[in-house]
Each structure stands twice: as C-alpha cells, then as structure tokens.
Amino acid sequence: MSWRISILDKSPVAENETAADALARTLSLAKQAEALGFHRFWIAEHHNTDQLASPSPELLIAWILGQTKRIRVGSGGVMLQHYSPYKVAENFNVLAAIAPGRVDLGVGKAPGGLPLSTHALQRGLNQQEKGSFAEQLAQLNGWLSPSDNELRATPQPATPAQGFLLGASTDSARLAASLDWNFVFAAHLNGDPDLLRDVIATWRANSSREVIVAVQAIVASTQAQADELAQKVEVWGVELANGQRVTVASEEQAYAFARQAGSEPLRIARRAQSLLAGTAESVRQQLQTLHETWGIDEFIIDTPVAEGNARTQSLRLLAQARFAGEVLV
C-alpha cells in the first residue's frame, strides 16, 4: 500500500460555536494529524461566510507551523485572482524561511466566495494589468524562484515552498505541468469519473510528478452513522450567461451567486461527488481501490462535517485504518 493521506481543513463553524472554537479545533486537528501520520495539513480560503472561519490561510499556516514539528502545512489554496503574485510570493517565502521544507503553496482559480466578496477583495485592482490566471501563476512562479534581479520577493529561503495548482480540468493539469508544479485534481468538487480519467491521463502525458487527488470522506463507527452525515453534504455547479462557472455548497448559494453576479443562470445542478462514506475499513478499501485503478499517490481528505467530535473521529478512524500495523516515526 503506497499511498499517502493528507487533510484539507476549512475551519467549519458548527451550530452553537464561535469562529474561535472552529479555529482552535483546526489547530488541534493539525497536531493530531501530525501524530496520526497524515502527510500534509492544508487550510482552505473562503470569504464572507459565517459557516467557515478560514479567509486567510497564510495566518493559520504560520500559527500551525509554530506548534507542529514535522507535518507539511500549506494552503488549499490561495485564490490568486484576488492578490498580487508578488505579495503571495513574499508571504510564502517568509513561511518557508520559518519552517524550511515544510511549506506548501496551493493555488486555486476559484473566487472562494460569492461575487460581493470578490468585488470587495479586488476593489482598486486593475484586472487587465493582472492578466489571465495562467499569466498570474507564471508571475508567482517567477517570484518564488531565486533571483539576482534588483527586484526580488524577499526573503529568499533556502528551500522554497512547494507549488501546487488545484483544479478540475485537463487545462489546469497542462498549466501545472508547463510550470513544473504539482497538481491536485479537485474530485471533492467534481467527482465525474470520466473527467478523473481524462485529467490523470493528461497529467501523466505532460508531467512526471505524482498523482494527487482531493476527495471528500466521512468515516464513522457504523455505516448508518456515516450515511446520515453524508446526506447533509451537497455540491452544486453553477453556469452563468456571463461565462462564469463555479462550485458552491448548496442550491441557495447557487442562486445567490447568480443574483450577486447580476447574470442569468444557464444551469444550476447538483453535482456528482467522490464522497466516500462508511466505516474506517470500508473507506480505506475504497481509497485502496482508487489507488489501484488510477495509480493515485496521495489523497487530500476533505471531511465535510462541521460538528467537532464527528469530524475529529472521522479523521482519527481513517488514519488508524490506513496505518494499521505500520510504525510511524
């Protein structure tokens, strides 16, 4: 069994909790993840929502790095369209200088929120000057590279952050390969098996780097408990007349996105997911099957459960099943 497991955390705020509670649990999960043998712990970026307390992954990464010793910590991911590539490079060069060899820079193309928050984040920015997403990513890659130029993104750490592009298309896989970045297929947002096949084939044709896939997984003591938690999870695709295509967590958010964007929705539909739900051994076997079928080297686990005890138990049970009989160092 040669596949790794990592965690994508969104700092969900459960019912009757505060953001402080959610953030404290994120730190606790990161510490447990290190002890349990997870390879990475990533923080997502989401804006203008009371349900998630993670608009600034860089801040949480620094906090977690200071209270862990071995696990890689990173973003899953920074929403590059909102920011200067130069500033993102500075932030992650500082993090990489603090914890050499432990920092991941995951970058996403999505807005990480609805149009009102996007407008607020981009107010005053010249989008034409910023260029396309591919151009912004190339700029970021350049700023992360050691340079003797007069203008540099300092500090320049001995071991830069590892770059990961998060995406769900063959175009994204090609873009990551063209920059020699890692690529993570976002199956937790689009679980179409045909798309998974096409993206992995494209990735292998263009890159020798590992195959990494993000999936949603819920583990519980019984199948019935896992199924009950899974019934609450939704992923919706939105396609607007203005050309925007996004993924959101509910039908309500889908129509809110269209309303805030001021564009007619051409298609709003619940999307298929790679949501794995069951007992620890059942989910472990499903991951093993995916590994054997597609040659997946690493799974980034998104556990879409807000309630703290159920979320912590899910990740603990999965790790115990995955590493049963292995000696962790």
Side-chain angles (χ1 to χ4, degrees):
M1 189 185 297
S2 58
W3 43 275
R4 299 186 299 271
I5 51 175
S6 298
I7 294 175
L8 173 64
D9 189 74
K10 300 175 181 177
S11 301
V13 182
E15 187 176 359
N16 298 322
E17 279 191 343
T18 65
D21 296 326
L23 294 171
R25 184 167 56 251
T26 287
L27 177 61
S28 175
L29 279 174
K31 292 178 177 179
Q32 292 181 63
E34 181 170 75
L36 289 168
F38 286 93
H39 186 58
R40 312 177 198 276
F41 190 91
W42 282 2
I43 306 297
E45 177 180 325
H46 290 278
H47 301 281
N48 191 34
T49 172
D50 294 330
Q51 285 73 49
L52 304 171
S54 59
S56 301
E58 302 92 334
L59 297 180
L60 294 180
I61 291 168
W63 190 38
I64 292 168
L65 285 171
Q67 300 186 63
T68 54
K69 296 179 179 180
R70 299 180 305 277
I71 193 168
R72 297 193 66 91
V73 185
S75 56
V78 169
M79 301 295 100
L80 186 57
Q81 64 170 286
H82 303 317
Y83 313 115
S84 156
Y86 180 76
K87 183 58 178 175
V88 174
E90 286 186 324
N91 285 342
F92 278 83
N93 279 350
V94 169
L95 293 170
I98 290 172
R102 291 181 56 207
V103 177
D104 295 334
L105 168 52
V107 174
K109 188 176 182 179
L114 302 187
L116 287 179
S117 60
T118 293
H119 179 72
L121 285 162
Q122 297 182 3
R123 185 170 294 157
L125 299 180
N126 186 327
Q127 291 302 306
Q128 287 69 39
E129 187 177 273
K130 281 175 66 68
S132 68
F133 178 79
E135 290 168 334
Q136 293 171 50
L137 191 64
Q139 290 176 42
L140 174 57
N141 184 59
W143 291 123
L144 289 169
S145 304
S147 171
D148 295 326
N149 293 335
E150 186 174 1
L151 176 60
R152 297 171 295 156
T154 55
Q156 295 200 302
T159 305
Q162 282 193 18
F164 296 77
L165 176 59
L166 287 59
S169 70
T170 55
D171 287 343
S172 292
R174 290 191 189 94
L175 176 57
S178 72
L179 296 172
D180 195 26
W181 276 41
N182 298 285
F183 177 70
V184 180
F185 176 69
H188 64 310
L189 301 179
N190 192 332
D192 182 348
D194 291 334
L195 179 61
L196 174 64
R197 178 200 62 214
D198 292 345
V199 169
I200 290 179
T202 299
W203 178 242
R204 286 210 172 97
N206 290 275
S207 176
S208 60
R209 290 183 176 271
E210 293 183 332
V211 176
I212 306 175
V213 176
V215 297
Q216 288 187 323
I218 297 175
V219 180
S221 298
T222 67
Q223 185 68 51
Q225 291 173 343
D227 289 340
E228 183 179 354
L229 291 169
Q231 288 176 1
K232 303 175 184 178
V233 180
E234 299 180 17
V235 174
W236 289 75
V238 182
E239 183 178 345
L240 303 182
N242 65 6
Q244 284 184 286
R245 295 184 178 185
V246 297
T247 301
V248 295
S250 68
E251 186 176 19
E252 180 183 5
Q253 286 186 1
Y255 282 101
F257 192 100
R259 183 178 68 253
Q260 292 183 21
S263 181
E264 184 71 19
L266 298 181
R267 186 171 183 269
I268 291 178
R270 190 165 181 172
R271 183 174 282 173
Q273 306 164 258
S274 57
L275 173 58
L276 313 179
T279 63
E281 180 55 29
S282 169
V283 172
R284 186 205 63 79
Q285 185 56 55
Q286 290 177 74
L287 292 172
Q288 176 67 19
T289 299
L290 287 169
H291 161 71
E292 293 173 353
T293 302
W294 304 109
I296 297 169
D297 298 290
E298 181 175 349
F299 295 96
I300 310 291
I301 306 297
D302 170 21
T303 299
V305 176
E307 199 279 315
N309 290 333
R311 180 176 177 77
T312 301
Q313 182 189 42
S314 178
L315 294 167
R316 184 177 64 252
L317 290 173
L318 176 59
Q320 289 172 348
R322 167 61 184 86
F323 300 116
E326 295 186 20
V327 177
L328 300 178
V329 295

